[in-house]
Amino acid sequence: MIPRHAKEPGETHAYDLGQVLQILDRLPLLEKSLVATAALAGLRQGELRGLEWTNYTGTELVIKRSIWMSVVNLPKTCASRDSVPVIPALAEILDEYRKSMGNPEVGAVFHSGDGLPICVDRVGRRVIRRELEAVRLPWYGWHAFRRGLASNLYEIGAQDKVVQRILRHSKPHVTRERYIKVFDRTVLEAVEKVQARFEELRQVKVDRQQLQLKFGDSDIAESSTGGGFRPSRPSGHHWPPDYRG
């Protein structure tokens, strides 16, 4: 049971693609590669540290381990131990970074020169946050890039099951309830569509009313020229015997 006085969970955030591009444009190559992998492949913080060059094929990343602090583990769940596609934009950044590191075939992908996995959290606080402040963007942490991928995929029409597979969640409701965020512009576009549909239906109603009036006027015109108009007989009423209508 949840304690009665337990605090509500804090609001979570996600970076949209426009913000991701803005961030990537300002970062040095190492930090740029980290952010691109988090934002375009959806890797968790520990998975970024655990990523090795043998896990990268050029078209996909195979997630085999996660490193938290100094502890090396398997990824979070069985579903997490899977591959994720690498889009050309991410491959271009990773290939450039790999070339700058001397084209290594093995070892940790992200390290600061000593071969040991880099401290991703420190990079975020000391480098990326400072660059974001310069463009007045808040630093929401590494998971905001993972939520951003889910939200960006959903925004362009990807089905829940597809988003779940890319993020490697074991349950689809986790993706829907905890990761997919609706961006402000998406909300605005949605209500604008409602407005457009409302105006469309209102115009149909006006056109229908005008059509009814038009046909009503023609009926009246027909009756005035002897077009066979016969008044209706009220229920229970009998016409006189000499009525010839």
Side-chain angles (χ1 to χ4, degrees):
M1 296 178 62
I2 300 177
R4 182 166 47 180
H5 301 295
K7 293 182 178 179
E8 292 186 4
E11 183 182 0
T12 58
H13 301 274
Y15 292 113
D16 65 31
L17 283 178
Q19 292 171 325
V20 170
L21 285 171
Q22 193 174 3
I23 295 169
L24 292 177
D25 286 343
R26 297 192 59 86
L27 295 177
L29 189 53
L30 168 60
E31 291 78 6
K32 179 180 181 179
S33 303
L34 273 167
V35 169
T37 307
L40 302 178
L43 270 64
R44 300 177 178 93
Q45 187 171 332
E47 294 167 350
L48 289 170
R49 296 194 69 209
L51 193 64
E52 297 183 296
W53 285 117
T54 52
N55 305 142
Y56 173 53
T57 68
T59 58
E60 67 177 9
L61 292 169
V62 182
I63 313 304
K64 292 185 175 181
R65 66 174 188 166
S66 176
I67 301 178
W68 183 254
M69 305 296 283
S70 59
V71 179
V72 180
N73 282 318
L74 291 173
K76 190 175 181 180
T77 63
C78 289
S80 298
R81 299 191 285 274
D82 208 333
S83 62
V84 292
V86 173
I87 63 174
L90 174 56
E92 182 180 348
I93 294 172
L94 285 177
D95 291 344
E96 182 184 0
Y97 167 69
R98 188 177 200 170
K99 184 178 180 180
S100 74
M101 301 294 287
N103 289 315
E105 296 293 331
V106 297
V109 172
F110 301 114
H111 63 85
S112 54
D114 55 6
L116 298 176
I118 199 168
C119 180
V120 179
D121 185 54
R122 187 180 299 126
V123 171
R125 287 184 286 106
R126 294 185 179 181
V127 180
I128 300 176
R129 180 190 292 222
R130 185 175 64 247
E131 293 298 332
L132 293 186
E133 289 174 351
V135 292
R136 298 183 180 180
L137 278 178
W139 170 242
Y140 293 128
W142 287 99
H143 226 63
F145 294 115
R146 183 169 165 82
R147 290 191 205 97
L149 178 60
S151 305
N152 289 315
L153 286 167
Y154 183 79
E155 184 182 26
I156 63 177
Q159 297 180 357
D160 292 356
K161 201 71 176 174
V162 175
V163 182
Q164 175 199 354
R165 167 62 184 83
I166 293 174
L167 265 67
R168 296 164 289 114
H169 285 145
S170 56
K171 304 287 185 181
H173 74 86
V174 174
T175 310
R176 287 195 304 268
E177 297 172 8
R178 302 182 187 178
Y179 282 80
I180 293 176
K181 311 289 287 185
V182 179
F183 299 123
D184 289 344
R185 70 167 184 276
T186 308
V187 174
L188 182 59
E189 289 171 358
V191 296
E192 287 176 347
K193 288 180 180 178
V194 171
Q195 170 68 19
R197 180 59 177 160
F198 180 80
E199 294 294 341
E200 179 183 337
L201 292 174
R202 182 159 62 180
Q203 186 59 46
V204 169
K205 182 179 179 181
V206 170
D207 292 344
R208 185 182 297 120
Q209 289 173 341
Q210 291 176 346
L211 194 62
Q212 289 173 345
L213 288 173
K214 179 179 179 181
F215 281 111
D217 291 340
S218 65
D219 287 344
I220 295 172
E222 183 181 0
S223 67
S224 64
T225 57
F229 173 76
R230 178 187 176 105
S232 60
R233 181 173 61 184
S235 176
H237 180 80
H238 300 284
W239 298 108
D242 59 343
Y243 178 72
R244 303 294 183 182

